[in-house]
Every structure is written in structure tokens, then in C-alpha cells.
Amino acid sequence: MSERQGAAEKEAMNLAGKRVLVTGGMGFIGSNLAHACLGLGAQVTVYDCLDPRSGGNLRNIEDIRSRIRVVYHDILSFDEVSQEVVDQDIVFNCAASTSHPFSMKEPWIDMDVNSRGAINLLEALRRFNVKARLIHLGTSTQLGPLKYRPADEEHPEFPPDIYSANKTVSEKYVLIYARAYGLRATVIRLSNVFGPRASIHSPEFTFNNYFIGLALQDKDITVYGDGKQLRNVLYVDDAVEALILAAKDDGIVGETLFAVGDEHYSVAHIAETTARVIGRGRARFVPWPAERKAIDTGDAVLSNKKIKARLGWAPRTGLEEGLRRAKAYFEPCLADYLR
């Protein structure tokens, strides 16, 4: 990177003096965002109710707790959300119920958090701070089984589960508010983000982070079927960089972009690589449980061409390097992430 490129990149990420609200800020991506924004000079408020079904963890902000403002509340409280959006410059909406299987068991809870929660935030911004920049997190599973590949932002959406359906609905709400009310909102869709501060204790959350948790305990990693289905994975620092670059660019207001990795790996390869890099176990292949097979999307081959062209963003961290960094983070504090 040249000196000029380095200076331009640094300015693109500069948040000095900005007031930043991160909903779901004690969760995986939200807490990593809070750390990054603080390091870039922002005044950070974290908003989270620590719902155990959504992966929040106090350990995630322990080292920055004294330097940020923390609000323990639910995104379903319109009054509380409204109070917190006032005077914010940037809002990252990371609040979500994130489990695909749980959404099939408790669709009303998922609908409340992922759809009504999004409406609460959007209405609060419309009424009390329409000038704020909003970055809303979407997911690649909104697409469902692919009709063509690599899939891009124009791919039709046929979500395979309630969580993905509600993420689709909340994305449409965001885009409606951007068009109808001039909200400065953008949707960034992510796919299988992994790394430090993730929920690694349960298969209810992202599969590759659960693989990390098993490997850290030297346990075998269970793979359903032959594991040949392709997945895109993204290291969390790269995801955070994409989100911050998006927040700094008004040229993508009202749009949706995929922030995904360059490479696509089979689930079997991800499991075997995780076991080799992190632990002493192995990948173990078992038959598909019926309830899991019913919501599997098959191959997920995704394009990041648009975000590269519009924001100049590209992932920097490969799978093995990301796994090594995750191992280094979790090993000293593993007990805090296995409960």
C-alpha cells in the first residue's frame, strides 16, 4: 500500500468525534464494531438486553466498558430506542435473534425481534433523528437455494426459515424508509462471519463459530451429510471494516450490498481446517437431522463485486489466518464463552 493509499484509507475509516450507537452491541459483530469505532475516535453507545438467544456476552466489552456508554434495554421498547437515537451520527443495527433453528420453534419471538424491532428503530430515526446514518445488517440466507451463481444483490429471495424470512422483511422496511422518508440507510448482507467474541458454545449460532468452540475443546466437529455444500466465510475484522466504510459513504444510501469473502469452501473443508488449526479433534460425518435438512440452502456461492466497486473494500484475512487469530483470542478466556 502506498503512503497516499494509506492516508486515503485512514481517512475513509476516520470516526473522530462521531457519535455511534450499536444496537446488539454486546453480541459478536456488534461488540467488534464497538471496539473498532472506539479505536477510530468515536463516542460509542452500546445498546443490548443480553438475551441469551441472541449471543450477547458481557465479556465482549469488558476491556472497553469504562470508555463507552452501555444501555441495557430491549430493541422492542420503542420509548427506550427513541431516547437513544437522538443526536447519534451513525447507528449500526446489529440487534437480532440470530438462530435459524430457534426461529422455526418460536416464530413469534423471531418476528418480534427481527421485524418489529427493526420498525421500532426506523420509526425512532424517522421521528427523532432522520439525518443519522443507519447501517442495517442483513444475511446471505435471505436468498434461499440459489437460482444462479455467484449470487448477487439482484438474486430473488426465497428464505428457507423464519429467521431468514424476517431478515428479508426487515431489509425491505429499511429500504422503504430510505425511499419514503429520506432515511440515510444502507443494508449490508453478511455471510458466516467468524472470529473473536463470537458465540462458540452452541450450534444455534453460526456453524463455523460453533466448529471453533468444539475445536478449542479438542472435540470432534460434527458435519451433516457429506459436507460438500459450499459456504462463504468472512473474518470479523473484514466485516467490521465493510460496515464502517459503508457508514462513511452516502453514495450507497438506499442500497443493499453483500460483504462476503472471496473464497468459497465446502463445510467439510471448513471443519477439517478448523480441527487442524485449532484443536486435536477431527471432522466426523453424520446423517442429516430432518429439521436441519429442511432449512439447509445448499451451496451459497456469493459475489462481492458490487461492494468492491462501490466502496473499494476487499477482505484481507484468509480462513487459516482468521482461525489462528480466533484461537489466540479465545484460549485465555475460553470459560467465558462456553456458558
Side-chain angles (χ1 to χ4, degrees), residues 15 20 22 25-42 44 46 57-65 67-68 196-197 237 240 244 329 337:
L15 294 175
V20 173
V22 184
M26 281 185 265
F28 170 35
I29 296 173
S31 62
N32 279 283
L33 259 173
H35 279 78
C37 290
L38 186 65
L40 293 167
V44 177
V46 160
N57 191 330
L58 277 170
R59 180 66 173 75
N60 284 341
I61 60 165
E62 184 178 276
D63 56 335
I64 60 171
R65 177 66 184 86
R67 295 186 288 148
I68 62 175
R197 304 185 181 91
D237 286 359
V240 164
I244 293 172
Y329 174 82
Y337 288 92

Side-chain angles (χ1 to χ4, degrees), residues 48-125:
D48 203 309
C49 69
L50 285 177
D51 184 337
R53 296 165 299 203
S54 297
N57 191 330
L58 277 170
R59 180 66 173 75
N60 284 341
I61 60 165
E62 184 178 276
D63 56 335
I64 60 171
R65 177 66 184 86
S66 63
R67 295 186 288 148
I68 62 175
R69 182 168 173 268
V70 178
V71 178
Y72 296 94
H73 230 294
D74 198 317
I75 197 170
L76 296 179
S77 171
F78 178 72
D79 289 342
E80 293 293 334
V81 171
S82 296
Q83 289 180 38
E84 296 308 323
V85 302
V86 175
D87 294 330
Q88 299 291 346
D89 297 305
I90 300 171
V91 177
F92 293 103
N93 184 25
C94 305
S97 179
T98 57
S99 170
H100 299 265
F102 178 76
S103 76
M104 301 297 287
K105 299 171 188 172
E106 296 289 348
W108 294 278
I109 293 174
D110 190 274
M111 180 175 64
D112 276 348
V113 176
N114 292 327
S115 293
R116 190 160 67 88
I119 283 288
N120 278 347
L121 181 59
L122 291 165
E123 266 298 293
L125 288 167

Side-chain angles (χ1 to χ4, degrees), residues 59 62 216 325-337:
R59 180 66 173 75
E62 184 178 276
L216 285 163
R325 293 185 193 179
K327 179 180 181 181
Y329 174 82
F330 283 116
E331 280 188 331
C333 56
L334 185 58
D336 293 326
Y337 288 92

